[in-house]
Amino acid sequence: MIASVLRLELRRSRSLLGWLALTSILYTGFITFYYPIIKQNQATLDAMLKLWPKEMQAAFSIMGNLTDVGTFFNVYVFLMIWPIVAAIGGILMATRAVAADLDRGFLELPLATRISRPAYLATSIAGQAIGMGLLVAATIATILVSGLVIGESWDTGRFLLAGCVILAFGWAIEAVTTLLAVATLSRGRAGGVMAGILVGMYLLQTLARIDPHLDALSYLSAFHYLDTGPLVNAGVFPAEGLTVLGAAAIGGWLASVWAFRRRDLLA
Amino acid sequence: MRDECRGYRAEGPCCRPAGGLSLSRRRRAVGAPRIVPGQRASPRDRLRSGAGTVIGMPNVIETTALTRSYGSRRGILDVEFSIAEGEVFGFLGPNGAGKTTTIRLLAGAIRPTSGSARIFGLDTWARAPQVHHFMAYLPSDPGYLGELTAAEQLDYLATLRGLARGAWRPVAERLELDPTVQVRRLSRGNRQKVAVVQVFMGQEPLLVMDEPTSGLDPLMQREFLGLVAEARGAGRTVFLSSHNLPEVERSCDRVAVIREGRVVDISPVQALLGEHWRSVNLVLAAPAPPGTFDLPNVRVLADGTRDAHLMVMGDVNPLLRRIAGLEVRDIAIATPDIEDVFMRFYGAGAPADRPAVEAAP
């Protein structure tokens, strides 16, 4: 029973995951091939960045030396394309099981069978989690494979750990969106609010980088915990990121399942 | 919890879901008939009153002052009815009368504002997962997944209902449904066939359907009525809402009429029809003797030399006995259809606030 729900969930995500994975692979592969060029032109790049306003650098998360592999991928992949991919995938997958399926008149069919609401939503959540995992795998694998192609020998373990951090970020998006979908029963509202939250958190993070007095604000932003630069550059274990993002994901999903148990399914 | 399960608990944890005590075992434990897939109910089990209610059987569905409001919008108010095992119960009303709200409350999709609905003694909201073990449900306008074929969709729902894959095939063949086509490519009528197949593919003792024949052509509507009759023959209970009046007339034992959120009448179909006038046209070989049609429930509209047009209220037997003494060349009796009955509750001066009195079966 559970396996059927999970299979259907993954099947329905196939197309979305395929296109998002392709986007991530093409972009990440393309950017990785730029890394040697950045290294070769370090002096020119430093000169150019000195001319850039610090606000601009903060807005694009350019904090540190771009020739450091951790900083490079942080700026161009983990804090640029990944939040977009994770947000699109997370929001679409997390709003489908409850809000979108209720709207289309499908949800009542499985919920009128032997499967309980918590089991149904938990299985759907498992499908979301696996889907996000596949996107992370595609992204990290592209970095590592492209690195081999350009002759760079990066620390695989650090990138795998970075994969865990960006996975926790994607799961946190999915979990909060699932909770919003259960609360609002509207795909539009849940997705819109989640997108707004992400944009707001990005702005908080940028403000905190620009003005040191506002540094505390960055702790309210998920992007603060997505910083994998120190991990990839120096092997600093991302305990804070994994803990906060993981807690948000698990907490959001548990709250969703709890709320869905007794949710009035007003179409 | 024990109180909720009275009459259905035999042993072990009360209201145990699948894998635990089956409904048939619970029934046997209280002396109720056992429903076995494919096996018809015994004559004893089918002992019915004139209204089709099984005597001495516990109620399968029971609502008590069931109320659901949607803020400023009206939902349903104080809806009360009970449905006995083996009964086919129709729920009539136009769009917006409260049929779907009532059915969604029975299915445990929404929470009652007040009152309660119980199926097999279990509260439909608090014990929804347990209730769903015994119920096949067809919501109004179900939204199947367009990207799946009908077969994939039905297999999926069969699995969730604990049925074997392909359990739907016999019903699909009867309804001439092509299961290999993606649902998005099916016409509305064929999509509704998927819905009907889905509800009849199992052997749950209760079928709850919200406008099940909407979009079906007349041939398939007839097939649907056959499926309902077979379900009744197997001792299963059927609750269906409709605004297809002939369908309700043909398939149901009793009918509730809902108007503006309130149940305004619950009657056996025959009683409902019997309260109405029938038109009788007679062509006689010779003029009828004076006073032939003088009966309390007969009104003579036209009495020619050899033909007569009469209106009869209720029981037609006294009139037929009088007519039997005449040489009749032709006779036509037009019975009122349930639409006429239905309009009584919706016409001018209809009893909107009249509390429903459930007719004794």
Side-chain angles (χ1 to χ4, degrees):
Chain A
M1 201 183 291
I2 298 287
S4 292
V5 176
L6 184 60
R7 253 198 315 272
L8 182 63
E9 189 67 27
L10 291 174
R11 179 178 171 173
R12 294 176 72 192
S13 301
R14 267 189 324 198
S15 174
L16 173 70
L17 291 174
W19 285 109
L20 285 177
L22 185 65
T23 304
S24 186
I25 288 167
L26 290 177
Y27 174 85
T28 306
F30 180 77
I31 284 293
T32 308
F33 282 107
Y34 258 92
Y35 181 67
I37 299 169
I38 296 272
K39 273 210 306 194
Q40 286 161 16
N41 297 282
Q42 183 179 0
T44 313
L45 194 67
D46 284 345
M48 187 193 81
L49 286 177
K50 276 180 190 156
L51 297 174
W52 268 39
K54 66 170 185 175
E55 290 82 3
M56 190 75 111
Q57 292 187 39
F60 287 96
S61 310
I62 303 172
M63 313 298 288
N65 190 340
L66 280 174
T67 57
D68 292 336
V69 65
T71 308
F72 176 81
F73 282 109
N74 212 24
V75 170
Y76 289 112
V77 177
F78 300 141
L79 286 171
M80 187 174 277
I81 190 70
W82 177 249
I84 295 169
V85 166
I88 294 171
I91 287 172
L92 288 179
M93 284 191 284
T95 51
R96 186 179 55 215
V98 174
D101 280 353
L102 180 66
D103 191 47
R104 74 191 297 179
F106 177 72
L107 184 62
E108 278 187 71
L109 294 166
L111 290 187
T113 65
R114 297 177 175 203
I115 194 165
S116 68
R117 287 188 185 195
Y120 183 77
L121 184 59
T123 311
S124 157
I125 286 169
Q128 297 170 26
I130 292 170
M132 191 60 71
L134 293 174
L135 292 177
V136 170
T139 306
I140 298 296
T142 304
I143 292 173
L144 294 174
V145 171
S146 305
L148 290 175
V149 172
I150 61 175
E152 296 283 347
S153 54
W154 294 319
D155 189 326
T156 306
R158 290 180 187 181
F159 272 102
L160 289 179
L161 207 47
C164 293
V165 176
I166 67 170
L167 180 61
F169 178 81
W171 281 353
I173 291 176
E174 288 181 328
V176 176
T177 310
T178 306
L179 184 57
L180 288 168
V182 171
T184 63
L185 297 179
S186 157
R187 179 173 235 181
R189 262 180 287 170
V193 169
M194 190 64 227
I197 289 172
L198 285 171
V199 170
M201 289 198 295
Y202 193 84
L203 289 174
L204 278 182
Q205 174 75 348
T206 303
L207 283 174
R209 282 188 188 131
I210 293 169
D211 186 347
H213 294 105
L214 300 174
D215 187 49
L217 286 179
S218 74
Y219 292 98
L220 298 174
S221 170
F223 294 92
H224 170 81
Y225 306 100
L226 186 58
D227 188 355
T228 57
L231 163 65
V232 177
N233 286 334
V236 177
F237 185 77
E240 189 185 38
L242 287 175
T243 306
V244 173
L245 294 174
I250 292 166
W253 277 330
L254 287 176
S256 305
V257 172
W258 179 83
F260 190 57
R261 268 176 63 239
R262 312 288 292 173
R263 184 71 175 93
D264 219 356
L265 297 180
L266 285 175
Chain B
M1 184 189 276
R2 278 168 189 258
D3 186 46
E4 278 183 319
C5 302
R6 68 189 187 285
Y8 295 94
R9 183 171 182 273
E11 59 187 51
C14 189
C15 313
R16 193 158 56 183
L21 190 63
S22 71
L23 177 67
S24 54
R25 282 186 62 196
R26 289 178 199 191
R27 283 197 179 132
R28 287 199 303 281
V30 293
R34 182 185 180 195
I35 297 173
V36 177
Q39 179 184 310
R40 297 180 73 83
S42 70
R44 180 178 160 274
D45 297 339
R46 301 268 302 125
L47 181 62
R48 293 166 190 279
S49 71
T53 305
V54 181
I55 293 170
M57 292 298 161
N59 286 323
V60 172
I61 301 179
E62 207 166 300
T63 68
T64 310
L66 188 62
T67 299
R68 172 70 207 206
S69 56
Y70 300 104
S72 58
R73 281 193 302 130
R74 175 185 52 72
I76 59 167
L77 189 64
D78 290 333
V79 167
E80 294 207 14
F81 57 81
S82 53
I83 303 173
E85 190 166 10
E87 191 174 9
V88 180
F89 191 86
F91 205 47
L92 275 176
N95 294 331
K99 300 190 300 292
T100 296
T101 295
T102 307
I103 287 185
R104 297 190 78 220
L105 284 161
L106 292 178
I110 54 175
R111 184 201 307 253
T113 306
S114 62
S116 71
R118 285 172 185 271
I119 288 180
F120 291 111
L122 301 167
D123 187 283
T124 58
W125 173 253
R127 298 277 174 265
Q130 287 90 342
V131 169
H132 294 157
H133 281 71
F134 315 130
M135 185 176 111
Y137 171 54
L138 168 58
S140 168
D141 203 12
Y144 291 103
L145 303 177
E147 64 270 31
L148 301 189
T149 65
E152 290 168 333
Q153 203 104 209
L154 290 165
D155 271 336
Y156 173 69
L157 292 170
T159 309
L160 297 192
R161 277 164 58 184
L163 304 171
R165 292 169 76 86
W168 45 270
R169 285 194 187 280
V171 188
E173 281 165 16
R174 279 182 69 170
L175 293 177
E176 296 167 11
L177 171 70
D178 180 356
T180 61
V181 181
Q182 279 184 322
V183 170
R184 73 157 69 100
R185 297 186 199 286
L186 291 175
S187 66
R188 173 162 160 62
N190 278 316
R191 258 181 247 168
Q192 194 61 23
K193 282 186 193 176
V194 178
V196 173
V197 170
Q198 176 248 312
V199 83
F200 280 100
M201 67 183 169
Q203 292 296 332
E204 288 87 349
L206 171 64
L207 308 174
V208 175
M209 297 178 269
D210 195 355
E211 302 195 2
T213 57
S214 166
L216 290 184
D217 63 41
L219 281 177
M220 288 305 126
Q221 284 184 17
R222 188 186 298 176
E223 202 59 49
F224 169 81
L225 294 178
L227 287 166
V228 171
E230 285 168 28
R232 176 166 48 184
R236 299 164 80 189
T237 308
V238 180
F239 179 98
L240 63 92
S241 87
S242 181
H243 46 223
N244 183 338
L245 304 165
E247 165 189 302
V248 170
E249 186 181 343
R250 280 180 223 154
S251 60
C252 295
D253 299 314
R254 283 195 303 149
V255 177
V257 179
I258 186 166
R259 182 190 183 197
E260 293 173 5
R262 290 173 187 266
V263 172
V264 293
D265 191 76
I266 302 173
S267 304
V269 170
Q270 290 312 314
L272 213 57
L273 296 173
E275 288 172 5
H276 285 258
W277 292 95
R278 284 166 176 76
S279 165
V280 179
N281 283 291
L282 281 172
V283 180
L284 303 168
T292 303
F293 305 123
D294 288 349
L295 289 166
N297 67 334
V298 174
R299 189 185 298 166
V300 181
L301 297 184
D303 190 4
T305 51
R306 291 189 304 173
D307 58 345
H309 183 196
L310 316 170
M311 294 296 285
V312 190
M313 162 77 98
D315 189 4
V316 294
N317 284 303
L319 177 65
L320 291 177
R321 277 195 286 273
R322 296 275 179 99
I323 292 171
L326 306 173
E327 191 178 342
V328 179
R329 284 191 174 164
D330 195 10
I331 184 168
I333 302 177
T335 55
D337 58 23
I338 204 163
E339 192 157 359
D340 299 325
V341 178
F342 186 58
M343 290 314 293
R344 186 180 70 172
F345 298 104
Y346 284 89
D353 297 324
R354 192 183 84 176
V357 178
E358 189 163 2

